[in-house]
Amino acid sequence: MDDAPSRGRRYYLRALSMLGACLATTTAGTVYLFSTYGPALSHRLHLTSSQSNVVAISANYGLLLSAPFFGWAADTAGPRVLSAFAAVGSFVAFSALAYTYDGSLALPSWLVLLAYMVLVGLSAQAANMAAVTTTTKNFKQNRGSAVSLCIAFFGLSPFVLSHVNTIFFAVGDKPDTFGYLRFLSYLGLVTSTLAMMSLSVVGFGPSRFRREVPAGFVVAAPSDSSSGLLSDESSDEEQGLLAPGPSQTAAGSATTYGTTAKGAATGSTCGTLAAPNALAPESSVTSATASPLGAQGTSAMADGIDYDTARNLGGLAFLRDPEAQLLALVLFLCAGIGVFYNNNVGTMVNALYYSSTDTPDPSAAQRLINHHVAVVSLGSFCGRLTIGFVADTCKRVWLLPRSAILVAIVLSIVLSQVVAGAAETLPVLLVGSAVTGLTYGFLFGFMPTLVSVWFGTRHFGSNWGLASASIGFSGQALGAFFGYVYDTNLPDQDPSKCARGSCYRDAFILSLGAGLLGLLAAITLTRRRSDRRHENRRRWEVEEVGHVHYLPFVLAE
């Protein structure tokens, strides 16, 4: 088959799949809309603030605790099965919420609402994993930008849908919460069905780089896959970029090319690339963009290598890895802040609005809530959209380590809690909402790329699911503390008595503390990654550079 049509069709399928991924994450974004209908639902069903927080966070439990399963399903069953589940689940969950609000569906206990919200979270996670895993496996050198674009629609969805609520449903003297929930049910059904029809793993295709195997190269025996070296356990993009070799193993299996070190005087074989790294899997090297050694010397070779590169880890190996554990801890502490804020911003807006006006209007209060949710969503969208481009640029142009970018993101999350916690008026709280949404978007737009780059793409869905599964616990803890503080200071649930946010401000002490602990974990992770890069560079310079002929090829990161 002609190469040009094959490449053109691959580009077409990849673009179509990217469109499907954006539609899928639009469905996933509905999990963050509780603040737009939660206060009305809580008022109709006579829920306390603590009960409302439990109901809200249950959607996040469904979203986050199901991440390992849906990540594994995305790696094995593919994205279309997950999209079909998201379509049915989203329709059923929001329809049940709508008819419960309307009174048509009996509610024996407020705990039944938890089941509905868990289904909302499960549907959102199925759609999200289908989209992110497919995008990660379809893009190579611009993976950060592609993944951030896909995830950006996760953040944009609440912005758009909260405005839809404001324009079409929060009108007149009484907001039409029933109609809004029914609209969300049909939206999830339609967008997930379209995603199911368009999502597919296209892959990278053959490399566009042409290489000749120089003299002195031999086929090396496969190394331990945990070392992260190129072997028969290498990731798909690594296998696709290896040039065809002059020989293969007797069994005809995939082969690995190593370099034969040449002695200074005798030219004798000293070993392959695997040799200097076999003793220390934790300090292993995977080759990235490089140039031939030639006459440029050691410095040119060093400048051409990305020492902050991926290993192929999955399952127990991923769980036991200290860097994976630190990364999960950062997510646990910092992403939970965004979940907590998003679920409670409606309560905060109500408190500041009703305590600052003598003639409160429920529709005006709902429009203010929608406005804040929209700002959080827009900030999250901008953060998710831009962080991939910024990270790719910082890494490739200024050689800034990704771990350093992570520290900057966590620091911005800490600052967002200072702003939001100090807000005593609605305009200042709006700034806090914007900053919190932006920093939350930074974190969630950057983390999937970080996992794929540091730990490989073969088990990306499972790894990302495992890393993000614990976020619900921190969000629950922060949300429960917020509900406790609010109910303690305002036992009659009258928001007009909460002057300048005094009834909930103490809750931000805990969120600020969580952010500071996350910053400490990020700094520790940065130090470990720095040690890894220095060790990788030392091994290249001491053991290899100046003694081998190097076959140049380009990996994803």
Side-chain angles (χ1 to χ4, degrees):
M1 186 175 181
D2 188 7
D3 183 62
S6 174
R7 182 181 293 114
R9 177 167 176 76
R10 191 166 59 251
Y11 289 163
Y12 166 76
L13 291 175
R14 188 175 290 123
L16 185 64
S17 184
M18 188 70 204
L19 176 61
C22 293
L23 288 172
T25 50
T26 298
T27 301
T30 57
V31 75
Y32 293 134
L33 287 172
F34 183 81
S35 289
T36 62
Y37 59 84
L41 188 67
S42 299
H43 178 74
R44 173 68 66 90
L45 301 177
H46 309 290
L47 302 181
T48 66
S49 179
S50 296
Q51 292 172 339
S52 180
N53 260 286
V54 172
V55 171
I57 203 66
S58 62
N60 295 103
Y61 271 127
L63 176 77
L64 298 168
L65 297 185
S66 65
F69 170 76
F70 284 121
W72 169 82
D75 287 336
T76 55
R80 294 181 178 177
V81 175
L82 271 66
S83 297
F85 175 85
V88 176
S90 180
F91 177 77
V92 171
F94 280 111
S95 294
L97 286 172
Y99 287 112
T100 299
Y101 175 86
D102 187 55
S104 302
L105 190 61
L107 185 68
S109 170
W110 68 274
L111 295 175
V112 177
L113 293 176
L114 271 66
Y116 301 154
M117 294 303 295
V118 166
L119 185 55
V120 170
L122 291 174
S123 304
Q125 188 61 270
N128 179 57
M129 277 298 177
V132 176
T133 302
T134 301
T135 303
T136 300
K137 295 182 177 181
N138 279 345
F139 288 86
K140 182 174 58 177
Q141 294 192 355
N142 296 315
R143 183 181 299 158
S145 303
V147 171
S148 67
L149 176 63
C150 167
I151 295 180
F153 281 84
F154 201 149
L156 182 65
S157 176
F159 169 77
V160 174
L161 296 178
S162 61
H163 272 80
V164 169
N165 186 19
T166 299
I167 296 172
F168 296 104
F169 300 101
V171 293
D173 296 332
K174 187 177 181 181
D176 184 12
T177 304
F178 172 79
Y180 179 58
L181 289 169
R182 288 290 289 160
F183 165 75
L184 294 179
S185 69
Y186 284 109
L187 177 75
L189 178 65
V190 172
T191 56
S192 291
T193 300
L194 292 175
M196 178 182 63
M197 298 168 60
S198 57
L199 277 176
S200 62
V201 177
V202 182
F204 307 129
S207 174
R208 66 180 182 274
F209 298 98
R210 299 292 182 264
R211 295 172 294 277
E212 296 295 334
V213 180
F217 271 74
V218 297
V219 178
S223 62
D224 185 357
S225 63
S226 66
S227 69
L229 298 173
L230 296 178
S231 68
D232 60 344
E233 296 295 325
S234 297
S235 62
D236 295 337
E237 65 265 38
E238 292 166 346
Q239 291 287 358
L241 289 170
L242 289 173
S247 62
Q248 291 183 340
T249 61
S253 60
T255 59
T256 302
Y257 290 95
T259 53
T260 302
K262 299 180 179 180
T266 65
S268 61
T269 300
C270 299
T272 66
L273 274 175
N277 300 287
L279 297 177
E282 287 300 315
S283 300
S284 60
V285 182
T286 53
S287 303
T289 305
S291 57
L293 187 60
Q296 297 181 23
T298 300
S299 60
M301 183 68 175
D303 290 339
I305 299 172
D306 180 359
Y307 299 99
D308 190 10
T309 49
R311 298 168 290 160
N312 271 310
L313 295 182
L316 290 177
F318 176 80
L319 290 174
R320 292 169 179 167
D321 187 75
E323 293 171 11
Q325 294 168 0
L326 283 170
L327 199 63
L329 181 61
V330 173
L331 266 174
F332 170 77
L333 293 168
C334 297
I337 292 174
V339 173
F340 140 76
Y341 188 89
N342 196 72
N343 286 337
N344 290 282
V345 66
T347 302
M348 291 185 280
V349 170
N350 264 342
L352 293 178
Y353 172 72
Y354 281 98
S355 63
S356 61
T357 181
D358 296 330
T359 56
D361 178 7
S363 292
Q366 184 62 55
R367 286 192 293 270
L368 283 172
I369 292 173
N370 292 342
H371 186 50
H372 277 258
V373 172
V375 168
V376 173
S377 174
L378 182 61
S380 179
F381 169 75
C382 294
R384 294 169 195 245
L385 181 63
T386 58
I387 191 60
F389 296 97
V390 171
D392 285 349
T393 301
C394 291
K395 180 65 183 175
R396 293 175 180 174
V397 176
W398 297 295
L399 303 180
L400 184 66
R402 297 178 184 87
S403 52
I405 299 174
L406 179 63
V407 171
I409 291 173
V410 175
L411 181 60
S412 68
I413 291 175
V414 172
L415 295 177
S416 74
Q417 294 307 285
V418 173
V419 174
E424 296 183 351
T425 61
L426 284 171
V428 177
L429 184 65
L430 190 64
V431 175
S433 297
V435 177
T436 300
L438 184 68
T439 57
Y440 184 66
F442 284 158
L443 187 69
F444 254 93
F446 186 59
M447 280 295 192
T449 301
L450 209 59
V451 171
S452 69
V453 168
W454 284 357
F455 305 104
T457 60
R458 171 170 292 185
H459 308 287
F460 168 77
S462 301
N463 291 345
W464 174 234
L466 289 169
S468 59
S470 63
I471 299 174
F473 293 105
S474 59
Q476 171 66 63
L478 292 171
F481 185 66
F482 179 93
Y484 169 77
V485 170
Y486 186 89
D487 291 341
T488 301
N489 294 327
L490 213 63
D492 58 356
Q493 303 292 309
D494 184 1
S496 63
K497 298 178 181 178
C498 183
R500 296 182 176 274
S502 58
C503 61
Y504 62 78
R505 182 167 296 113
D506 289 346
F508 282 92
I509 297 175
L510 185 60
S511 66
L512 181 60
L516 291 173
L517 288 176
L519 181 62
L520 179 61
I523 293 173
T524 304
L525 179 59
T526 300
R527 180 59 183 270
R528 288 188 62 92
R529 296 299 302 184
S530 177
D531 292 343
R532 176 185 294 279
R533 287 191 302 274
H534 291 159
E535 176 65 12
N536 287 348
R537 179 165 185 162
R538 184 192 68 79
R539 288 180 178 276
W540 272 95
E541 292 177 344
V542 173
E543 303 290 348
E544 301 294 339
V545 176
H547 302 287
V548 299
H549 292 293
Y550 182 72
L551 176 63
F553 55 88
V554 179
L555 291 183
E557 291 290 338

